[in-house]
Amino acid sequence: MEHQERLDSLLLEFDELSRHSVGYPANLDFDYTALLPFMRHMVNNVGDPFHDSNYRSNTHEIEREVIGLFADLMHLPRDLAWGYVTSGGTEGNMYGLYLGRELYPDGVVYFSQDTHYSVVKIMSVLKMRNIMIRSQDNGEIDYDDLRETLRINRDAPAVVMANIGTTMKGAVDDVNRIRGILDDLAVTRSYLHADAALSGMILPFVDDPQPYGFDAGFDSVAVSGHKMIGSPLPCGVALTRRAYVSRIARAIEYVGVLDTTLTGSRNALTPLILWYAFQQKGLDGFRHMVGGCLETAEYAVTRFDDAGVAAWRNRNSVTVVFPRPPAEVVRKWQLAPQGDIAHLVAMPHVTRGTIDAVVDDCVRAAATPQDAAGAAA
């Protein structure tokens, strides 16, 4: 039938695209076949996962376990933790900054120019005053610019958005240093939200991580689920302190649950997916997986350098930055470009053979005059 032919064609297209997906941080190495029977049910995690709901076809219990696992990774005692499974990083960042706004309605948000593009939209939706801070060349926030800007505005509460792995360069802002600046300037009313979309599932599994977690100064954090963990559906986790959430909670009689999340009806399959991933791999499995990704990223830097292409990566980052190649290479490998650079992300499905093919295509295309001219145009 015509509709089946269309589905078959779309599936073949996705299969092919998956073999050439290196530019975006999405782990394609997963198997959730065991969860397919749950697709027969309409499940909805409406409301707060830590309270009962009148809509009983939910995975709230599973979701609470997932939040507990992330609380452990982020060094937040479970009895102090609150969170929920989101639709992805943008919702997680919006939730963290929403809490910051509710705690400090007159606060100013500070974020670096390398912060995820969603922050500008979030600022518009939340109508929060904000100031963009310069970034260093490696993508890390410029601490001198942050200090001076905070000094000028020290009378207003500071809501700082720190990057634990920037989108384009994988840079990690030093949250200890940011907290130190706030302390030095005697900014006593402050809130620090961390965007740890990718590196939130990297730093807990390396031997020498940069400072991260609630013990390092987080007030809230967003971590993606479809990135390092891997999921067929975009998802993530928003995690914060339970005491902050109590300020915004409202009881909703209709569903018999507290309204503490940004969305009403929520995906009940994504908590199941994240929970199942942890059951499959375990913490040792994630540590092994992350180690392999970092080795592949270092291999990519070496392979590019050996081919005469200047490439680099930040410490503990799987994001490899190199000069922007011609357009056909960007399109073929779904690379992420920005200005005169591009990056690839060494996710678990990216092999050394894949790296070799990408580097060879970059070198070959750059050596072809008409391609280089086309890319420049």
Side-chain angles (χ1 to χ4, degrees), residues 69-240:
L69 291 167
F70 277 91
D72 294 343
L73 293 176
M74 293 293 117
H75 309 147
L76 178 62
R78 290 194 180 198
D79 61 334
L80 302 179
W82 186 93
Y84 74 101
V85 175
T86 66
S87 61
T90 297
E91 183 181 350
N93 288 334
M94 182 177 289
Y95 193 82
L97 292 173
Y98 168 54
L99 287 180
R101 188 194 71 178
E102 294 304 291
L103 288 168
Y104 300 113
D106 57 340
V108 177
V109 178
Y110 301 88
F111 62 96
S112 79
Q113 65 188 93
D114 275 55
T115 299
H116 190 265
Y117 63 85
S118 67
V119 71
V120 175
K121 173 172 55 182
I122 292 169
M123 293 299 95
S124 177
V125 171
L126 295 178
K127 298 189 182 304
M128 299 178 74
R129 292 191 296 159
N130 60 89
I131 300 175
M132 181 184 289
I133 305 299
R134 287 195 301 267
S135 292
Q136 301 178 57
D137 290 342
N138 74 333
E140 202 171 339
I141 195 169
D142 186 318
Y143 302 101
D144 292 335
D145 190 31
L146 176 63
R147 176 185 290 274
E148 180 61 18
T149 308
L150 283 168
R151 186 190 65 78
I152 295 171
N153 299 278
R154 61 188 299 179
D155 291 338
V159 179
V160 181
M161 185 167 177
N163 292 303
I164 308 301
T166 57
T167 304
M168 196 64 199
K169 298 175 180 177
V172 175
D173 294 336
D174 188 334
V175 292
N176 282 346
R177 190 169 178 181
I178 292 172
R179 282 294 185 192
I181 291 171
L182 292 168
D183 291 342
D184 289 346
L185 295 174
V187 179
T188 57
R189 295 179 297 164
S190 65
Y191 183 97
L192 195 153
H193 172 72
D195 179 0
L198 176 58
S199 292
M201 281 299 294
I202 294 177
L203 297 186
F205 302 105
V206 299
D207 293 332
D208 184 26
Q210 295 95 321
Y212 76 95
F214 285 77
D215 56 339
F218 290 2
D219 288 301
S220 59
V221 63
V223 183
S224 290
H226 57 282
K227 291 182 178 169
M228 185 55 72
I229 295 173
S231 167
L233 302 172
C235 60
V237 165
L239 182 67
T240 187

Side-chain angles (χ1 to χ4, degrees), residues 11 20 41 112 133 167 201 209 233 236 279 294 299 311 315 347:
L11 183 58
H20 295 85
H41 299 277
S112 79
I133 305 299
T167 304
M201 281 299 294
L233 302 172
Q279 305 312 305
L294 290 168
Y299 174 80
R315 182 164 70 92
M347 300 306 288

Side-chain angles (χ1 to χ4, degrees), residues 268-344:
L269 294 177
T270 46
L272 196 58
I273 288 169
L274 297 181
W275 176 85
Y276 187 71
F278 275 94
Q279 305 312 305
Q280 281 185 309
K281 294 183 175 69
L283 297 182
D284 287 341
F286 278 117
R287 181 178 295 276
H288 177 75
M289 184 180 74
V290 167
C293 291
L294 290 168
E295 289 177 1
T296 302
E298 186 57 30
Y299 174 80
V301 172
T302 301
R303 185 69 172 76
F304 270 119
D305 288 347
D306 289 347
V309 179
W312 59 276
R313 67 184 182 98
N314 277 297
R315 182 164 70 92
N316 291 326
S317 175
V318 297
T319 302
V320 177
V321 184
F322 52 95
R324 183 173 183 158
E328 72 273 14
V329 179
V330 171
R331 180 171 177 79
K332 175 181 178 180
W333 292 104
Q334 301 171 70
L335 299 175
Q338 185 180 78
D340 59 355
I341 63 172
H343 78 210
L344 64 80

